[in-house]
Amino acid sequence: MVMGLALVALGCATSGDPRVTTLDHARFVLSSEPKPPADEAFGPAIALPDRWSASRPRTGGTGFYRFTLAPQPDAVGAWAVLVPDLNMNAEIFLDGVWIGSGGRMTEPVAQHWNRPLFFPFDASLVKDGAVIDVRLFAYAGDWGGLGPVRVGPEAPLRASYEALSTTQVGASQVASVLALVMVVLFGALWLAKRREPMYGYFVAAAGCFFVHSLAYHLRDIVFPFWFARWGIHVALDWFGVWQLRAFHRWLKVQAPRLEAAVLGVVALGSLVTLAMSLGVGPVDGFIPSAVAFHVPVALLLPYALVQIARRWRSLPRAEAGVVLAGSLGTTYVAFHALLAHLGLLPQSAPRMLFLLGPILLFCFGALMLADFLRTFRSAQDLNVELDRRVKEKEAALAENYDRLRKLEAERLLAEERERIMREMHDGLGSNLVSALSSLEGGQGDREAVAHALREALVDMRVVIDSLDPSVDDLATMLGMLRSRLAPRLAKKGPQVKWQVQDLPPIPGWGPRHTLHVMRIVQEAITNTLKHAKATTLGVATGVDESAFVRIWDDGVGVTDRGSSGGRGLANMQYRAAALGAQVAVETRDAGGTTVTLWLPSRVAE
């Protein structure tokens, strides 16, 4: 359709000027000479278009077409020669003078099978008539030939030339760009979709069509013609192979045998046509062989229509409509090109095969882009749902954490309450019970009761001091203990040597650990006052291999105290174990006893 409109435009552009002459008969001679031969070398006039594949099969090289232009007395200004239909390249002579060329006339020859040629010249050269020679190069076994030539004023012929160039060359350039864009775009989607086969096959199909489409607008090639011709034909067949596989993945059709059969046919065709290109078989065998292998690939288009019809009701209406329109359009384009290849349409029929790729690529590209966007939206919805669930779980976890934190706080409070009660029972409680028993039994004097009550008061103050959060070091606590015990120490009479210094902080240390240390120190001092008969009592802190608290006296040793100190020693061992510390009770060489509490480097939480 596009090419038909182009031909209509060309006709409208030239028919309006009566000075435009269409030359559709010419005399012809095969010649390898670069200049036009003498007039007697030409044969009789032949009608154009002249196709070498029909008029002189297996012939290739160069030949001259000679046109005789009648006098043009009204010719003024700029005129031109327009060659709208040729294969493969040509150059123009006017009365034996060269006026223009389409490019290289030697291998690899400039490609003009889809390009018109336009050569302006001065109108004065044709006022009295002229002989126009067209030197044409054609490849043997290919569709070489020449169609009618137009001569006339430059303006209308240039308009025709530009119309043809736009529809034949410009449109095919757009098709190549579209194919390349599809390769890049869907290559990125293929990577984003974790190499999903449907996208990969579509990228391969777009790449094959890009290679094929270059033939429609690439004038100067760097490869030999036989290789370029073979490449554009097999690229078209492989385009069908990958497009079929992408189509099946989109429809979710399982047809491995059909896909394998098509793959085998196209692979065989690629090898056969390659052999033909390399000279195996007749020189004119390539085109029939290529067309023969194009036929089964073209049959995939009606197959696609059947598959769509079978699944029409289950397909989304918009997407099914796009595929149906694309399939119908490509079926028409493909069979039009096939009929032209088979010779059932004239060689001058418009070439529309370059439309095949853009139609299919646009249709299936739109479908796969819609699929990707649908998947992307589903992923977004899933992310929103997951985010909602995560927030719900976070709220539930936070609520559970708060509940556990409260339970832990309650447990710690209960443990602390129980510890305090136990400490008060072991110290304060026992002293009060002792005082009460003395009073009730009538056996205790006033001084004994007062002593028991003072001991209970000291014990209570030690417990309270250990609970003070502002007092977090042992040196301070020991100082407070000293002040609590001062009246008792003064009454008992031993001289007190206080050698307490700051100790390094112990990770994990807390009030209950301090109380254990105070109890051990208190127990050691009490034992000294009761049993040691000492004149000197010392309390020291320091760091040797680890931090320590030491209580010593110069009284009788442990072995001389009898069994009365056994329970106190066991109590110190129990509290040291609770700290993760070690307590050592030793008799001094100079006499007396030393109790050393080796503190841990850290305590458990």
Side-chain angles (χ1 to χ4, degrees), residues 473-479 481-482 497-504 506 509 513-525 537-552 572 576 579 581-586 593-600:
D473 65 280
L474 283 175
T476 301
M477 283 300 301
L478 289 170
L481 178 63
R482 179 185 182 185
K497 291 187 177 182
W498 199 260
Q499 298 171 332
V500 174
Q501 58 181 327
D502 290 337
L503 295 175
I506 300 175
W509 194 266
H513 306 106
T514 301
L515 184 57
H516 281 310
V517 174
M518 294 302 102
R519 286 298 194 198
I520 292 172
V521 173
Q522 190 178 6
E523 183 71 30
I525 293 175
L537 171 67
V539 178
T541 59
V543 178
D544 192 353
E545 293 181 358
S546 63
F548 64 85
V549 178
R550 182 172 291 136
I551 304 95
W552 59 271
M572 286 190 290
L579 281 172
Q582 293 181 348
V583 64
V585 181
E586 300 171 329
T593 304
T594 299
V595 177
T596 304
L597 177 65
W598 299 98
L599 299 176

Side-chain angles (χ1 to χ4, degrees), residues 36-94:
D39 191 67
E40 57 270 16
F42 287 87
I46 57 175
L48 301 181
D50 174 37
R51 300 300 168 193
W52 289 27
S53 57
S55 59
R56 51 193 69 84
R58 303 184 181 181
T59 300
T62 57
F64 285 87
Y65 290 88
R66 176 159 289 180
F67 302 90
T68 301
L69 184 66
Q72 304 292 321
D74 297 330
V76 293
W79 273 42
V81 175
L82 173 63
V83 185
D85 177 24
L86 73 155
N87 190 333
M88 181 64 67
N89 192 20
E91 54 184 350
I92 307 297
F93 296 85
L94 192 61

Side-chain angles (χ1 to χ4, degrees), residues 284 332 458 473 541 545 558 589:
D284 57 347
Y332 173 77
V458 169
D473 65 280
T541 59
E545 293 181 358
V558 175
D589 294 338

Side-chain angles (χ1 to χ4, degrees), residues 40 61 144 171 175 233 243 247 252 297 314 323 344 359 473 495 523 554 556 564 600:
E40 57 270 16
H233 280 277
Q243 191 67 51
F247 177 73
K252 296 180 174 57
V297 176
S314 62
V323 174
L344 301 178
I359 295 174
D473 65 280
Q495 180 184 0
E523 183 71 30
D554 60 356
V556 299
S564 60

Side-chain angles (χ1 to χ4, degrees), residues 242-281:
W242 305 127
Q243 191 67 51
L244 172 68
R245 295 194 171 206
F247 177 73
H248 278 167
R249 299 318 181 270
W250 177 73
L251 275 184
K252 296 180 174 57
V253 172
Q254 299 292 329
R257 292 184 179 179
L258 175 61
E259 291 179 359
V262 173
L263 179 65
V265 169
V266 171
L268 177 62
S270 300
L271 294 175
V272 170
T273 52
L274 178 61
M276 291 288 183
S277 298
L278 294 172
V280 178

Side-chain angles (χ1 to χ4, degrees), residues 237 240 293-303 330-331 334-335 338:
D237 290 339
F293 285 103
H294 289 335
V295 172
V297 176
L299 293 177
L300 295 177
L301 291 167
Y303 163 79
T330 52
T331 299
F335 278 94
L338 186 61

